[in-house]
Each structure stands twice: as C-alpha cells, then as structure tokens.
Amino acid sequence: MNDQKQKEVVLSGIRATGSIHLGNYSGAIQQFVKFQDDPDVDCFFFIANLHSITEKIEPDLVLKGTRDITRVFLAAGLDPEKSTIYAQSSIPELCELSWLFNCMVTVPTVANMPHFKEKKDLMQSRGTKETAGLLTYPILMAADILGVNGTIVPVGKDQEYHVELARDIARSFNSKFGDLFTLPAASIGDFIPSLQGSGKMGKSSGGQTIAINIAADELKKIVLTAMTDPARARRTDPGDPRNCNVASYHHIFSSTDEVTWAEAGCMNASIGCIDCKKVVLKNLEALIAPLRERYEEVARIPDKEIDEILHEGGIKARKIVMAVVGEAKERMGLPFF
Ligand code: TYM
C-alpha cells in the first residue's frame, strides 16, 4: 500500500466545541488553507465531533458546533472541491481502528500524556470524574491520522506529542504485522498565547479568546487590556519583550520593522504599552476583518447545504478508511466473516 502512494496526505481536525479562536486559526486552519493549494498533496480536514464529547455530551451543541466549524472552514478558504471535508462521526470504522490501537497501547502511555493530566485535573476541580474517552482521546486521534494514511498533520504545538503517539503506533503495527502505515509527521503552526497571563489561548484554558469573527470593538477591548511585562508599571519604566505576550503577537502578526520598533521601544521605554498594542490591534484587525466578513456570508448557508458537504466528504474519506481498517484487521487475524 505504501508503494502506491506518491502524494503527501495532509490530515487534521478541529473539535466541535466553542467558537474557533485565533489559536485554532493560526496554529492549524491557516496551515490547512496553504496545504490545500499545493498540488502535491491530498487534503483531509474534518470536524472531530467524537473528540468533542469526551468531557460532556450535549447533543444540540455538538451538532451545531459541527456545522459551525464547517462554516469556519469555508470562511477561511477551504474548498470542498479541493479538500475532503467531513465529520468524524460519518466514519464508524475510525472507532474500530481506535479499538485495535487501544489494544496495542499501554494505559501508562496514555495516562502520562500532558493533555490527559491537564484535563483530568480540570474535570476533578469541577467535581466530575475523567471519562475513559478522555484517556483514550489520543488513540482515536491516531486512528484519524492512520485511517487515511496521513503523512503530514498540521496542528498547534500542544498536539505534537499526540502525533508522536500516532507515529509510534504506526511503527509498532508495521513491525508486528507488516508495513501498512506511513509514519506521520506534525507540521507545527504558530503558537498563540493567552493575552491574560501565561498559557495558551484555548477553548478550555480560561481567559478570553479572540474568536475569528470577533467584533472590532471587542477585539480592541481584549488587545488594549492585554497583560504586559509587569516591570513596565509606568511609561518611563523599561521592559523586557520576553516577558510580554503582546511581543509574541508582534512576532507572529507584525512586519519585521514593527517588531524591531516595538522591542527597542519597550526596552528603552521610548514607547508606551498602549502604542505597542495599537500596532498589534491594527494587524489583527487586518487579519480578522476579511474572516469576519466571509463568516457573515457563510452563516447564511442553510444547514442542509452544509450537511451535504459533510455527507460527500464523509463518503469519500470513509472509502479510504474502510480499506485501511479492513487490511489492518486481516493482518491482525480479525477478518469480517
Ligand atoms: P482542538 O479543536 O482543541 O484544536 C484545534 C487545533 O488548534 C490548535 N490550537 C492552537 N494552536 C496555536 N495556539 C493556540 N493557542 C492553540 N489552541 C489550539 C491545536 O493544536 C489544534 O491543531 N485533538 C485535536 C483535534 C483532532 C486532531 C485529530 C488533529 C482530533 N483528531 C487528528 C489532528 C489529527 C485538537 O486539539 O482540537
């Protein structure tokens, strides 16, 4: 199977929870759009709705979220004619593959994954117990990736070790049962920190997130009230850009000249934090304005049309996954009798 494959296979997913924020966009979706325009790759982008129920099952929200994220994909520039766009729930064989992998991975391996530890603590602090689905979350991810024999996985930094696990599973399967899976590699996008302190901007990590269709005045409020280096208590106090998340935003969203200006101005106190934030705000608004506009357009697409896109993509991706899972089962002595 490996020998037949010439093109890179790019695959990634987004959970159907909450609104899509700048972290999801810069870390993942922006990469999706770039890969889509590369003629040497086949692209698979999906809504990870099965991964959306590991903490809480809210049927209406997950269904709405699945359609919303499909709309965000379209607003960001993904094109169902160029990329296979689908929902994880359209491919039952992914759960089957995930089960096969569950039997190859030890409990300590998944229990020690940072994602599990963080989420477990969060759930326990809310008085709930972690689910088995949360524990095996990365194994279902491995099934998503290996089910289409994905070779490149565009994700944010926080997902890198999950792609590593998929790689380990592929290697272990190939050595035990013969080469079937190509070893996937992560393609890491920009890391977007929170603007209210430490940590990443996240759907569940607290703090405000910048939705990709955020209103201009809301964006302004978040950026202008962002935390900066505490050393800059007064305008005349010099600061250290390494202690400031606004400086990280400059590195991602500003021109080289603007970065130089902001860093020098911070270190010699020739500019105030507000001057510095205003430039980030200008650049973020330039990025978000067209997304906001396109999101307004796609919001008007009826659910029926969105479901049709997911249906078509689901059929296409499922065919590939079915063949891979059938082959994996055969090799493991588990034919469909
Ligand atoms: P989700 O929805 O939590 O995140 C989607 C993507 O957004 C990236 N991301 C960030 N990147 C940079 N800075 C941030 N602050 C930030 N916050 C989130 C995440 O790294 C991710 O790429 N488990 C996946 C969904 C998934 C998946 C897969 C991905 C399920 N199966 C198979 C790849 C391959 C997730 O984190 O979704």
Side-chain angles (χ1 to χ4, degrees), residues 83-249:
S83 297
T84 306
I85 296 175
Y86 57 102
Q88 220 176 12
S89 59
S90 298
I91 311 184
E93 290 75 15
L94 290 174
C95 295
E96 204 178 0
L97 187 59
S98 173
W99 175 257
L100 304 180
F101 293 162
N102 263 300
C103 299
M104 294 170 55
V105 174
T106 66
V107 170
T109 300
V110 275
N112 285 322
M113 294 241 140
H115 171 92
F116 176 68
K117 288 192 190 161
E118 275 164 33
K119 291 276 168 131
K120 183 177 119 187
D121 292 348
L122 196 70
M123 288 184 83
Q124 288 183 351
S125 73
R126 289 177 186 151
T128 48
K129 278 244 179 285
E130 66 278 14
T131 63
L134 192 65
L135 180 69
T136 56
Y137 181 113
I139 300 181
L140 178 58
M141 263 184 83
D144 295 327
I145 298 167
L146 303 179
V148 298
N149 246 316
T151 58
I152 301 177
V153 187
V155 282
K157 183 98 191 123
D158 60 306
Q159 296 298 312
E160 194 173 14
Y161 48 86
H162 289 161
V163 180
E164 275 305 310
L165 178 70
R167 199 178 165 84
D168 290 346
I169 292 174
R171 202 183 280 120
S172 157
F173 185 101
N174 290 349
S175 76
K176 285 196 184 97
F177 309 111
D179 278 358
L180 176 63
F181 298 115
T182 320
L183 305 191
S187 163
I188 305 296
D190 289 322
F191 172 75
I192 306 297
S194 156
L195 280 175
Q196 278 96 37
S198 62
K200 68 165 189 166
M201 176 177 289
K203 290 170 190 167
S204 43
S205 46
Q208 287 164 304
T209 58
I210 297 176
I212 57 114
N213 60 340
I214 192 169
D217 54 345
E218 190 63 24
L219 176 68
K220 183 173 171 189
K221 203 161 76 195
I222 293 181
V223 175
L224 295 187
T225 58
M227 269 176 67
T228 53
D229 180 3
R232 296 211 72 187
R234 286 163 306 186
R235 197 185 189 285
T236 47
D237 296 330
D240 182 344
R242 288 171 303 185
N243 299 333
C244 177
N245 283 346
V246 176
S248 314
Y249 276 56

